[in-house]
Amino acid sequence: MEQYREKLLHIIIDLIENKDVIQFYSGFRGDFDLYCSSLIYELKDRYPHIKNTMVLSYIPGSMNENDGITLPKYFDDSVYLLERSVPKRLAIIETNKCLVDAVDFIVAGVITHCGGAYMACEYAYKRKKPIINVIDGWLI
């Protein structure tokens, strides 16, 4: 992810300064989520008004012990978006859909045409949400 640092910083700063984005969300499950969250955390010194929220795919009481209940330092708070019960195997996919519906922009690091991040971007594309993919040459 380090090779995308400057590009990601530029994207995040542009969202803050030119699109008036003050609220960021991340699932904190993959390397891309972790990396973006750490960059947003770094930018809080420069932009103290921004907020970074961890999106939970499972109700905390049902999380695996290894998932941890303690909020990582990168986040201001957490949110659980699912309004209905879904099988555990669909929780991340359905959470991603809820998140897409709730936000104005999608920042993605999608490389392949499979997996949860790709499915979220595909859903966002159908919903006509702006997708900012850090990986050049990627198309739905």
Side-chain angles (χ1 to χ4, degrees):
M1 284 286 109
E2 191 62 34
Q3 70 267 30
Y4 299 108
R5 178 181 173 78
E6 291 306 313
K7 188 172 184 178
L8 272 168
L9 280 172
H10 176 75
I11 290 167
I12 295 167
I13 290 169
D14 180 62
L15 288 170
I16 295 166
E17 292 182 353
N18 299 315
K19 307 283 192 291
D20 298 321
V21 173
I22 59 171
Q23 174 67 63
F24 293 88
Y25 295 94
S26 174
F28 202 70
R29 292 211 166 265
D31 291 340
F32 185 78
D33 287 345
L34 174 61
Y35 197 70
C36 286
S37 296
S38 68
L39 292 178
I40 294 164
Y41 181 76
E42 287 177 29
L43 289 171
K44 286 179 77 74
D45 285 339
R46 184 171 167 189
Y47 304 99
H49 63 287
I50 63 174
K51 185 175 177 185
N52 199 11
T53 297
M54 183 170 131
V55 178
L56 303 172
S57 297
Y58 310 101
I59 296 173
S62 69
M63 294 171 70
N64 294 331
E65 189 174 320
N66 291 338
D67 288 339
I69 302 299
T70 305
L71 198 60
K73 73 176 184 176
Y74 301 127
F75 297 99
D76 298 298
D77 60 5
S78 64
V79 66
Y80 179 74
L81 298 173
L82 292 177
E83 295 179 356
R84 62 185 173 83
S85 179
V86 298
K88 188 172 183 173
R89 63 183 165 70
L90 298 177
I92 293 172
I93 294 166
E94 292 301 314
T95 298
N96 286 347
K97 287 180 180 180
C98 290
L99 185 56
V100 165
D101 290 337
V103 301
D104 295 323
F105 302 94
I106 312 298
V107 177
V110 176
I111 299 171
T112 63
H113 284 93
C114 62
Y118 173 77
M119 289 172 64
C121 287
E122 189 175 49
Y123 180 78
Y125 179 79
K126 289 175 185 174
R127 296 279 195 213
K128 297 184 177 13
K129 296 282 182 152
I131 303 168
I132 305 163
N133 193 29
V134 176
I135 311 300
D136 293 327
W138 175 85
L139 300 171
I140 290 251

